[in-house]
Amino acid sequence: GQQLNQSPQSMFIQEGEDVSMNCTSSSIFNTWLWYKQEPGEGPVLLIALYKAGELTSNGRLTAQFGITRKDSFLNISASIPSDVGIYFCAGPKTSGSRLTFGEGTQLTVNP
Amino acid sequence: NAGVTQTPKFRILKIGQSMTLQCTQDMNHNYMYWYRQDPGMGLKLIYYSVGAGITDKGEVPNGYNVSRSTTEDFPLRLELAAPSQTSVYFCASSYKGREQYFGPGTRLTVT
């Protein structure tokens, strides 16, 4: 089936550092979504990618749709304490009406 | 727009009790979803709906029921609560089944 593997599972960084995380699959995806979930809250959509090779930014966040369509990357520049949370990647299942989610990358930022 | 709203925010149930988790969206989305998230884990799909009057099972439907009589509302029913249903429940909606927008969640404890 369509599975998404996220890495790393967790990251502990110092404020000001840049962060990179990725999401890979053995299947091709036509859309990649990146969500952030803060403690005690629901996931919030950060970035949506629709074309292979696409690079999209949202403030200090930049995400890329891999050329093979089997991976995506999320970078956070100059991290701050409020970046703490779990970052999920997601992509639509073949049926189109449901999403496959990765297991998430837990980010901790030390001030 | 309020987006996706969920009530209640918190609930404690005794084993065997029943309850309904409410979910409403004001974005006129056709697609709606119920997920559960256990501590430290990712999102698991319980049920989903592609439009009023249409519902379908997700990955973990046992012990739950849903109905979709209007576009706006998608309640989740627990008939005989069990400790294994202790979790955080998220409702989400989507226009075309891709980008999903989540509610703030309901934290349920069954003792």
Side-chain angles (χ1 to χ4, degrees), chain A residues 15 30 43 48 56 66 81 84 90 93 108 110:
Chain A
E15 184 176 358
N30 293 318
T56 297
V84 164
K93 287 185 182 285
T108 302
N110 296 314

Side-chain angles (χ1 to χ4, degrees), chain B residues 40-88:
Chain B
M41 305 293 284
L43 298 160
K44 293 183 180 176
L45 183 66
I46 305 171
Y47 270 95
Y48 68 105
S49 168
V50 300
I54 307 169
T55 62
D56 209 345
K57 295 178 180 179
E59 306 166 70
V60 290
N62 291 345
Y64 307 95
N65 277 302
V66 293
S67 59
R68 183 97 182 271
S69 56
T70 67
T71 299
E72 294 79 19
D73 301 304
F74 190 39
L76 177 71
R77 179 89 179 152
L78 282 70
E79 289 295 346
L80 291 170
S84 60
Q85 292 178 306
T86 294
S87 190
V88 182

Side-chain angles (χ1 to χ4, degrees), chain A residues 36-68:
Chain A
K36 177 189 178 187
Q37 185 178 24
E38 297 186 6
E41 304 289 331
V44 173
L45 181 63
L46 297 173
I47 293 177
L49 302 160
Y50 303 107
K51 286 168 51 175
E54 181 180 354
L55 192 70
T56 297
S57 293
N58 179 1
R60 291 176 297 103
L61 278 61
T62 301
Q64 183 162 22
F65 193 139
I67 293 174
T68 65

Side-chain angles (χ1 to χ4, degrees), chain A residues 8-104:
Chain A
Q9 279 189 311
S10 61
M11 304 180 74
F12 297 84
I13 63 170
Q14 292 297 125
E15 184 176 358
E17 288 183 9
D18 295 343
V19 172
S20 290
M21 61 188 77
N22 67 74
C23 189
T24 61
S25 172
S26 58
S27 305
I28 288 174
F29 281 82
N30 293 318
T31 300
W32 286 95
L33 306 172
W34 284 94
Y35 287 85
K36 177 189 178 187
Q37 185 178 24
E38 297 186 6
E41 304 289 331
V44 173
L45 181 63
L46 297 173
I47 293 177
L49 302 160
Y50 303 107
K51 286 168 51 175
E54 181 180 354
L55 192 70
T56 297
S57 293
N58 179 1
R60 291 176 297 103
L61 278 61
T62 301
Q64 183 162 22
F65 193 139
I67 293 174
T68 65
R69 293 164 64 191
K70 293 184 178 180
D71 54 13
S72 179
F73 309 88
L74 178 69
N75 295 316
I76 304 173
S77 62
S79 59
I80 59 178
S82 61
D83 290 333
V84 164
I86 305 175
Y87 291 80
F88 291 101
C89 63
K93 287 185 182 285
T94 308
S95 66
S97 58
R98 300 160 61 174
L99 289 178
T100 298
F101 283 89
E103 290 298 308

